[in-house]
Amino acid sequence: MTSTPLSPLTLRRYRAERLLRREFAGLRSKVLSIVRSQLRSRGVTLDVADLEACYAQAWHGLYATVLGGEEVENPSAWLVLVTFRRAIDESRSAPRHQPVDGGEQPVGFTPDLAGALDDRARLRQ
């Protein structure tokens, strides 16, 4: 009996499917917890459903990356980074709530310009 060698595409698909079955649910709570913490430290809050959607999109990207033949050493870190970036994009695209009293800032409010610039630099990287 002879065995048929696996084509590169078949092998990549097998690895991606195995990763999907084995780690999707296991990494979900860990990744979402880390991303929630990172967002909270920057004063960003997202609805649970939006954050879950960011994770699902990040997972789809990981699957496509593995399927494309790229080696991902640390899927967990990859998912944290991509989920975080997607959550930041989601937060920026959300409608801003305008103050009803004419738009003045609260007393003692100082915008964190340095933090905003740091976030932009991280996202560019």
Side-chain angles (χ1 to χ4, degrees):
M1 185 165 126
T2 62
S3 67
T4 307
L6 293 174
S7 72
L9 178 60
T10 305
L11 184 60
R12 289 193 309 260
R13 181 168 287 136
Y14 170 76
R15 286 180 181 157
E17 291 293 331
R18 186 180 64 191
L19 178 69
L20 181 65
R21 279 192 309 271
R22 186 179 48 184
E23 295 184 18
F24 179 80
L27 290 175
R28 186 179 154 277
S29 63
K30 176 183 174 184
V31 168
L32 291 178
S33 173
I34 292 168
V35 171
R36 252 188 238 104
S37 173
Q38 290 176 339
L39 292 171
R40 205 175 15 250
S41 73
R42 287 166 178 75
V44 176
T45 56
L46 271 186
D47 184 77
V48 174
D50 289 338
L51 193 55
E52 299 254 349
C54 292
Y55 176 74
Q57 289 174 342
W59 189 270
H60 179 73
L62 177 62
Y63 178 81
T65 299
V66 172
L67 188 60
E70 292 184 47
E71 202 60 40
V72 177
E73 280 187 41
N74 190 344
S76 173
W78 197 97
L79 286 168
V80 167
L81 178 65
V82 175
T83 302
F84 174 75
R85 287 179 177 173
R86 182 65 192 127
I88 291 293
D89 288 346
E90 191 70 29
S91 152
R92 288 181 178 158
S93 69
R96 304 281 182 217
H97 297 291
Q98 297 296 326
V100 179
D101 63 354
E104 293 183 22
Q105 298 295 341
V107 175
F109 175 80
T110 55
D112 182 18
L113 298 177
L117 290 173
D118 287 342
D119 289 344
R120 287 181 185 173
R122 279 191 207 103
L123 287 172
R124 273 190 228 114
Q125 292 175 352

